[in-house]
Amino acid sequence: QVQLVESGGGVVQPGRSLRLSCAASGFTFSSFAMHWVRQAPGKGLEWVALISYDGSKEYFADSVKGRFIISRDNSKNTLSLQMNSLRVEDTAVYFCARSASPVDAVDIWGQGTRVTVSS
Amino acid sequence: QTVVTQEPSFSVSPGGTVTLTCGLSSGSVSTSYYPSWYQQTPGQAPRTLISSTNSRSSGVPDRFSGSILGNKAALTITGAQADDESDYYCVLYMGSGIWVFGGGTKLTVL
């Protein structure tokens, strides 16, 4: 079945880095755009980043631009989010999600991985 | 910076009809924003209900429908059931690969 499984979350100090991964299965990963969406504790959803099916285009929310890097390895069916210069306000559950294209809605979501930025 | 607006909370009686809306702090929502709707219960991943204004996702009951009403996108639940009690989020495509979520609506069924 179609599945997205995130990993890599944890507790990290402000200013440090963390790398999240998302393993995709059950579909042709290289045909889909992929997103990261996060949700701070008790808050709503926030779109974070998007990468095109072939990795040639990347887009970021202003809140993470210049600090986060999104990438994908289509040979390994894996999506990544490299998070640098982490801030307390980056504390959230991070979901990976797929869409047919950058202008299509997300249709499949992972279960999320929790990131806590705290000293 | 454009803000996507949603009602913070709404309540509906079982069997009733409720319409949640998704607007912009400046301007009108049209189909060009590809409005989509998601349902989320506490501790769970979101579930996609509606994409591109009014396309229902696979497995979503037909009591959920999407539309443009006036200058906003809308999600209508007809014949609300107890398990529709959830948080509902809309998201709009702002162009240039950028998506923005609304703040969410907490729907109570009572």
Side-chain angles (χ1 to χ4, degrees), chain A residues 41-56:
Chain A
K43 303 296 185 182
L45 300 172
E46 180 187 11
W47 177 83
V48 173
L50 162 65
I51 189 167
S52 61
Y53 72 100
D54 61 355
S56 64

Side-chain angles (χ1 to χ4, degrees), chain A residues 30-105:
Chain A
S30 59
S31 296
F32 289 83
M34 297 296 297
H35 303 248
W36 287 99
V37 175
R38 68 185 181 184
Q39 187 168 36
K43 303 296 185 182
L45 300 172
E46 180 187 11
W47 177 83
V48 173
L50 162 65
I51 189 167
S52 61
Y53 72 100
D54 61 355
S56 64
K57 296 182 175 62
E58 304 151 15
Y59 309 93
F60 297 92
D62 286 344
S63 58
V64 305
K65 196 176 298 182
R67 299 188 299 123
F68 287 13
I69 299 169
I70 188 172
S71 62
R72 64 190 298 159
D73 185 339
N74 285 346
S75 68
K76 296 181 179 178
N77 293 345
T78 301
L79 173 73
S80 297
L81 185 69
Q82 176 68 38
M83 304 186 294
N84 301 320
S85 303
L86 281 162
R87 304 168 180 169
V88 171
E89 55 266 33
D90 294 320
T91 294
V93 174
Y94 284 74
F95 298 99
C96 75
R98 79 167 199 188
S99 64
S101 79
V103 300
D104 282 299

Side-chain angles (χ1 to χ4, degrees), chain A residues 35 37 39 43-47 50 59-60 95 102-107 109-111, chain B residues 34 36 38 40 44-48 51-52 89 93 96-103:
Chain A
H35 303 248
V37 175
Q39 187 168 36
K43 303 296 185 182
L45 300 172
E46 180 187 11
W47 177 83
L50 162 65
Y59 309 93
F60 297 92
F95 298 99
V103 300
D104 282 299
V106 162
D107 64 347
W109 299 76
Q111 285 302 306
Chain B
Y34 300 94
S36 304
Y38 305 92
Q40 188 184 35
Q44 299 297 313
R47 171 196 183 195
T48 305
S51 62
S52 296
Y89 294 92
Y93 181 65
S96 302
I98 304 299
W99 292 83
V100 178
F101 279 93

Side-chain angles (χ1 to χ4, degrees), chain B residues 36-84:
Chain B
S36 304
W37 292 90
Y38 305 92
Q39 177 191 50
Q40 188 184 35
T41 53
Q44 299 297 313
R47 171 196 183 195
T48 305
L49 297 176
I50 301 287
S51 62
S52 296
T53 306
N54 55 14
S55 295
R56 201 178 300 114
S57 291
S58 175
V60 173
D62 60 8
R63 65 176 185 274
F64 291 92
S65 62
S67 63
I68 299 291
L69 286 181
N71 62 349
K72 296 182 179 182
L75 174 71
T76 299
I77 307 173
T78 305
Q81 300 180 2
D83 61 3
D84 295 335

Side-chain angles (χ1 to χ4, degrees), chain B residues 11-55:
Chain B
S11 67
V12 62
S13 300
T17 296
V18 62
T19 297
L20 312 182
T21 68
C22 177
L24 288 168
S25 56
S26 176
S28 299
V29 177
S30 67
T31 57
S32 299
Y33 285 87
Y34 300 94
S36 304
W37 292 90
Y38 305 92
Q39 177 191 50
Q40 188 184 35
T41 53
Q44 299 297 313
R47 171 196 183 195
T48 305
L49 297 176
I50 301 287
S51 62
S52 296
T53 306
N54 55 14
S55 295

